Amino acid sequence: MILTDLDKKLFTLHTKNITYQMKVDEYGFLLHTYYGERIDDEDMSKFIQYLWRGFSGHPYEMNGRFDWSLDTLPQEYSTYGSGDYRSPSLHVINTDGSSDCDLRYNGYEIIDGKPGIKGLPATYGSSDEVQTLKVELLDKISGIGVDLYYSVFEEKDIITRSAVIKNGGKGRVWLERAMSMCVDYNIVPDFDIVTFYGRQLGEKFVERTSLRHGKTVMDSLRGSSSSQQTPFFILCDKSTGETQGNCYAFCLVYSGSFMTEVEKDQGDQVRVNMGIQPESFRWELNAGDEFCTPEVIMSFSREGFGQLSRNYHNIIHHNLTRGKYHLSRRPILINNWEATYFNFTEEKLLKIAEDASKLGIEMMVMDDGWFGKRDDATSGLGDWFVNTKKLPSGLTKFCQKINDMGMKFGLWFEPEMISEDSDLFRAHPDWVLRTAGRDGMLGRCQFVIDMSRGDVVDYLYNSISSVLSSANIEYFKWDANRQIANAWTALLPAERQGEVMHRYVLGLYDLLERLTSSFPNILFETCSGGGNRFDAGMLYYAPQTWASDNSDAFARLFIQYGTSFMFPVSTMGAHVSVSPNEQVGRITPLKTRGVVAMAGTFGYELDTNLMTDEEKEIVKEQVETYKKYYDLINYGDYYRLSDPYKTDRYVAWMFLSEDKSKALVNYVQVRAYSNAPAIYVRLQGLKENSTYVVNGAEYSGKSLMTCGIPVSSMMGDMVSLQIEVNEK
Ligand code: DGJ
């Protein structure tokens, strides 16, 4: 709900449980007044403190007012050079070289539904579920305007933000920084900050610290959202935990270099700016042009991290992912990467497929190595035509053979990359992101294709489309195995090279949009050496992402735990692989590998021919179990029942049906201790007064939530249980 009080110049946004408010002050500045738990329709500007800030700059007309400076006032969008020395949202270099930008209120509009963002991914929704407020700000002297967009998903407790910067002046200007949004908390408890860091093969580790004074920055300069930092974070009260306490999260819908800057200032106020990383960004804006920033999805919960995560799962599943598969049943797949790496033949793959089909697996995915000259990582990328030495039947017939086994067929691509040893590179050495006159930077023996160029995107669209049209391909794995360094394009003049990184992302999104809309029946999964680009931007185009190249069940307990703070199970690529695990050498039971992979889009990544009969029986059971619980796992609510950072004894999570009548509790005993007491796994979200049946015994919902299901200590590390809970 969006309320406007034009006398007071007050804008109040309400969702079921959240209120967000802003007000235009007597001088025309748009001040932030409140964000948090839902309150009544009250003017919260009375909480703004006007403090003595004599040394800070302030606009000319406040001469003599020592209590007025933008340096201390909470704002909706902060500008560089305005007397506010904190983290700016916008830094413009005007035509005359100055950086002044004096943004004042210039009007508003309420839009039914939610407008899209040109060229960028964004949440969507009908006018029944979302309303949008646009507030216009303007610097009357330069003509620079900023439109701030606030979309309110009332039932989902979500508010999204983005900004459009417009050059309404007469000359060219440059954007040095154009953040998507700013939130200034003026009534602030002592916050903790929860962030998600990592590395390749170890993504989205959870880190919680006190928010200190000064700037806390999480960012990526890598051209991708990265495994190293995540464009999602949480601010919370010190006392907040999984099931109680206030917490606020911010999720950027963007897949390139990003920055989150959280600043605790001299008055203990906290500012959040989030958007495109400014270090590798400079955008020329000609008279009449506009620049759209990516979207930020914001949510707040007073019931702890669990509810906060479920708010994100809900909006991402229903209002961000798209296409045929976002709400329909996805096939259980087997991928040959960890089974064969580059070393496969047609015969070998057919044998794996044949075996897998007998186990109930529904799709065979052919990974890296099927095209051009590709026997290792040194060559072939860009040559998207079949390697007939490996696949003598050709792609069409090979796919037909897989289909004849009753299996679907999927294919791997790495569209954004090019090997020096490839026909494509030999034909177009200038299609590479590298500076003229230099050798360029390699990564995994490959260059990055210059996706900032429309002609390159067109070429890729055509060459990939012709492969997709040549066979019955029903799944597309979109990989990207390096990060960008020193992006430079031959097509832009020197003074516009600061645009390349963002133009690259726009080119990537353009190609994704064109391919996904031309091939609506294909299930797309993105991947970037695992979770290097597991972000909300990519999920707009492909409903699932390979969460990590680390498929070890123990490591995955942490990776999937961290990922679950923002992304739903239906988006998280998770497969059963061999033991000892190929990445860490750890031995884990097959059963547990299945339980862990069932907390994601389930599949296999091994050679079924090498399995014993007993193992094959376990696989059959896993496939049946996953099919049986598919709806509960993928459409139910997800609850974290333990924190793997706090105990080494177990990790537990549960899926609960929407009507709360059915749950599946998953329990992994990480370490066995001799003569250890039982663990009482407290369930969540059940109906307190209902009776539930667990392992033949009856419990009230309340007792399952306050006392928990007792799980006795079992023999062995990494052993697991799946426990059904049914309302009587
Ligand atoms: C990295 C991916 O994450 C793997 O699953 C696999 O597809 C390889 N690339 C292939 O090169």
Side-chain angles (χ1 to χ4, degrees):
M1 189 195 312
I2 298 173
L3 301 175
T4 51
D5 181 334
L6 295 184
D7 291 339
K8 292 186 185 153
K9 292 205 174 141
L10 193 67
F11 299 96
T12 307
L13 319 178
H14 289 305
T15 71
K16 242 179 0 180
N17 296 298
I18 304 173
T19 297
Y20 188 103
Q21 197 186 65
M22 67 201 91
K23 181 174 175 143
V24 182
D25 84 347
E26 61 200 290
Y27 303 106
F29 288 97
L30 183 65
L31 300 184
H32 174 81
T33 57
Y34 180 78
Y35 177 35
E37 183 177 346
R38 183 162 175 158
I39 48 156
D40 290 334
D41 302 332
E42 186 179 343
D43 181 347
M44 300 296 277
S45 63
K46 55 184 168 257
F47 289 100
I48 294 177
Q49 295 187 64
Y50 289 85
L51 300 168
W52 166 262
R53 293 292 174 253
F55 287 4
S56 302
H58 56 70
Y60 192 81
E61 72 240 60
M62 285 80 150
N63 191 12
R65 262 197 88 168
F66 294 105
D67 63 349
W68 203 106
S69 170
L70 289 175
D71 202 20
T72 59
L73 288 171
Q75 295 155 70
E76 284 301 313
Y77 204 66
S78 55
T79 54
Y80 179 85
S82 60
D84 179 353
Y85 303 96
R86 296 172 292 172
S87 159
S89 313
L90 181 67
H91 183 174
V92 185
I93 305 288
N94 295 306
T95 313
D96 61 6
S98 66
S99 291
D100 299 63
C101 190
D102 183 6
L103 293 178
R104 312 263 179 135
Y105 176 73
N106 194 43
Y108 79 99
E109 189 186 338
I110 292 178
I111 303 161
D112 256 354
K114 184 164 189 296
I117 306 180
K118 202 171 158 221
L120 289 170
T123 52
Y124 57 87
S126 68
S127 50
D128 294 340
E129 56 179 342
V130 55
Q131 267 198 316
T132 301
L133 169 71
K134 176 171 101 174
V135 183
E136 295 171 23
L137 306 175
L138 179 69
D139 178 324
K140 285 201 172 124
I141 293 182
S142 68
I144 296 297
V146 177
D147 291 348
L148 300 177
Y149 287 86
Y150 304 78
S151 293
V152 183
F153 290 86
E154 193 165 340
E155 287 305 308
K156 293 199 164 84
D157 278 334
I158 293 286
I159 297 174
T160 65
R161 303 271 309 268
S162 67
V164 175
I165 325 298
K166 296 161 145 183
N167 182 359
K170 292 202 174 67
R172 207 166 32 153
V173 304
W174 295 268
L175 305 180
E176 295 284 326
R177 171 193 282 243
M179 304 308 275
S180 297
M181 57 119 241
C182 170
V183 172
D184 270 353
Y185 292 89
N186 57 324
I187 315 158
V188 208
D190 206 3
F191 272 144
D192 274 357
I193 181 165
V194 183
T195 58
F196 301 84
Y197 73 98
R199 52 186 171 269
Q200 205 221 343
L201 298 162
E203 294 87 347
K204 297 190 173 48
F205 293 122
V206 184
E207 187 160 55
R208 178 175 181 161
T209 57
S210 272
L211 186 68
R212 59 170 180 79
H213 286 89
K215 288 175 185 157
T216 301
V217 177
M218 282 73 60
D219 70 346
S220 162
L221 276 161
R222 299 163 189 270
S224 51
S225 47
S226 87
S227 311
Q228 284 72 13
Q229 287 292 344
T230 304
F232 173 93
F233 78 102
I234 299 171
L235 288 172
C236 60
D237 290 358
K238 295 270 175 227
S239 57
T240 298
E242 186 62 25
T243 55
Q244 91 299 320
N246 291 335
C247 43
Y248 303 80
F250 300 83
C251 177
L252 185 68
V253 188
Y254 190 61
S255 310
S257 299
F258 76 94
M259 185 175 78
T260 305
E261 203 166 57
V262 185
E263 182 171 4
K264 186 167 177 178
D265 73 7
Q266 56 183 329
D268 294 344
Q269 302 182 111
V270 172
R271 168 170 293 176
V272 175
N273 265 305
M274 197 176 206
I276 296 173
Q277 220 299 341
E279 186 82 26
S280 52
F281 173 83
R282 186 171 210 256
W283 197 270
E284 184 179 291
L285 207 59
N286 288 298
D289 283 356
E290 57 182 47
F291 179 82
C292 300
T293 68
E295 176 169 284
V296 174
I297 306 173
M298 307 197 310
S299 190
F300 163 82
S301 155
R302 59 189 287 258
E303 288 157 28
F305 302 133
Q307 188 53 49
L308 191 68
S309 296
R310 286 186 290 281
N311 292 349
Y312 279 92
H313 298 173
N314 193 1
I315 191 90
I316 286 171
H317 199 172
H318 295 100
N319 301 83
L320 183 69
T321 58
R322 301 176 299 164
K324 173 177 161 184
Y325 280 103
H326 97 280
L327 289 176
S328 68
R329 165 104 155 68
R330 303 186 200 151
I332 298 174
L333 64 81
I334 183 157
N335 177 306
N336 73 303
W337 179 244
E338 286 196 30
T340 65
Y341 298 101
F342 294 104
N343 186 18
F344 61 82
T345 58
E346 179 170 329
E347 208 191 341
K348 172 87 202 148
L349 297 187
L350 288 173
K351 269 193 175 163
I352 295 178
E354 195 183 353
D355 233 15
S357 70
K358 290 183 194 144
L359 304 177
I361 296 171
E362 298 156 312
M363 178 190 279
M364 171 81 207
V365 175
M366 180 162 60
D367 209 278
D368 195 353
W370 61 268
F371 52 89
K373 179 183 140 212
R374 184 78 171 166
D375 296 319
D376 54 34
T378 60
S379 62
L381 291 172
D383 294 343
W384 302 115
F385 48 83
V386 72
N387 178 327
T388 44
K389 272 200 201 135
K390 285 185 181 172
L391 298 169
S393 308
L395 200 59
T396 318
K397 283 210 178 119
F398 176 68
C399 173
Q400 185 59 55
K401 289 182 189 175
I402 302 278
N403 288 167
D404 290 346
M405 294 171 191
M407 288 191 108
K408 294 178 190 295
F409 176 67
L411 198 57
W412 179 99
F413 287 87
E414 196 174 0
E416 302 152 76
M417 302 295 158
I418 182 165
S419 305
E420 229 177 339
D421 184 1
S422 68
D423 292 351
L424 186 65
F425 182 84
R426 283 182 280 276
H428 297 285
D430 56 329
W431 279 10
V432 166
L433 277 183
R434 63 170 169 177
T435 311
R438 294 182 187 263
D439 290 337
M441 308 280 281
L442 288 168
R444 206 201 192 201
C445 318
Q446 64 205 43
F447 284 120
V448 181
I449 284 198
D450 185 355
M451 305 271 289
S452 73
R453 297 174 60 138
D455 55 349
V456 171
V457 172
D458 287 346
Y459 170 83
L460 288 172
Y461 172 75
N462 290 330
S463 73
I464 293 170
S465 293
S466 70
V467 179
L468 296 179
S469 309
S470 72
N472 185 23
I473 295 163
E474 293 182 76
Y475 164 99
F476 186 123
K477 178 171 171 188
W478 183 301
D479 206 349
N481 287 305
R482 63 158 290 188
Q483 296 168 329
I484 299 175
N486 291 347
W488 190 91
T489 180
L491 285 199
L492 287 176
E495 68 275 16
R496 293 186 59 194
Q497 292 296 327
E499 298 176 22
V500 181
M501 290 292 249
H502 182 56
R503 286 191 183 278
Y504 179 90
V505 179
L506 294 177
L508 164 68
Y509 288 155
D510 182 27
L511 183 57
L512 277 160
E513 181 67 38
R514 287 160 72 181
L515 287 171
T516 51
S517 48
S518 299
F519 298 93
N521 292 323
I522 295 183
L523 168 60
F524 281 76
E525 171 160 344
T526 62
C527 164
S528 178
N532 181 56
R533 210 165 46 188
F534 195 164
D535 57 59
M538 294 308 274
L539 292 175
Y540 180 71
Y541 302 97
Q544 59 191 59
T545 299
W546 180 229
S548 177
D549 268 353
N550 192 339
S551 58
D552 169 58
F554 173 76
R556 280 284 183 140
L557 288 176
F558 287 83
I559 293 165
Q560 294 175 189
Y561 173 83
T563 308
S564 78
F565 275 79
M566 58 219 83
F567 298 134
V569 164
S570 63
T571 65
M572 244 187 266
H575 298 166
V576 175
S577 62
V578 292
S579 175
N581 173 267
E582 298 267 313
Q583 294 85 43
V584 295
R586 185 177 287 113
I587 294 174
T588 52
L590 178 55
K591 181 172 174 227
T592 300
R593 281 177 268 147
V595 170
V596 174
M598 279 185 219
T601 61
F602 188 62
Y604 290 83
E605 186 108 4
L606 41 70
D607 184 349
T608 42
N609 295 296
L610 303 177
M611 292 185 127
T612 62
D613 287 347
E614 198 188 330
E615 286 172 324
K616 285 184 182 171
E617 281 311 309
I618 297 178
V619 170
K620 269 192 202 162
E621 270 172 41
Q622 286 172 341
V623 165
E624 283 314 308
T625 306
Y626 187 67
K627 287 179 182 167
K628 177 174 168 199
Y629 294 118
Y630 186 91
D631 286 358
L632 190 54
I633 292 174
N634 285 281
Y635 311 130
D637 285 329
Y638 180 84
Y639 290 83
R640 291 179 290 265
L641 303 181
S642 71
D643 178 345
Y645 293 85
K646 289 199 174 138
T647 170
D648 68 350
R649 282 197 65 190
Y650 77 106
V651 180
W653 62 96
M654 73 182 250
F655 307 106
L656 180 64
S657 63
E658 207 185 337
D659 65 1
K660 299 176 184 297
S661 67
K662 198 175 181 57
L664 181 69
V665 176
N666 300 268
Y667 179 92
V668 177
Q669 174 176 288
V670 176
R671 268 174 170 254
Y673 285 94
S674 53
N675 195 21
I679 299 277
Y680 284 79
V681 184
R682 285 192 194 150
L683 308 195
Q684 296 172 33
L686 302 176
K687 291 186 251 179
E688 286 191 355
N689 299 323
S690 281
T691 303
Y692 290 89
V693 181
V694 184
N695 294 331
E698 291 187 5
Y699 300 83
S700 69
K702 179 120 186 178
S703 73
L704 287 173
M705 294 193 288
T706 51
C707 304
I709 301 177
V711 182
S712 305
S713 184
M714 299 174 277
M715 294 294 280
D717 291 349
M718 289 298 290
V719 290
S720 56
L721 294 172
Q722 286 181 306
I723 306 165
E724 225 185 80
V725 178
N726 288 305
E727 192 178 12
K728 199 177 158 193

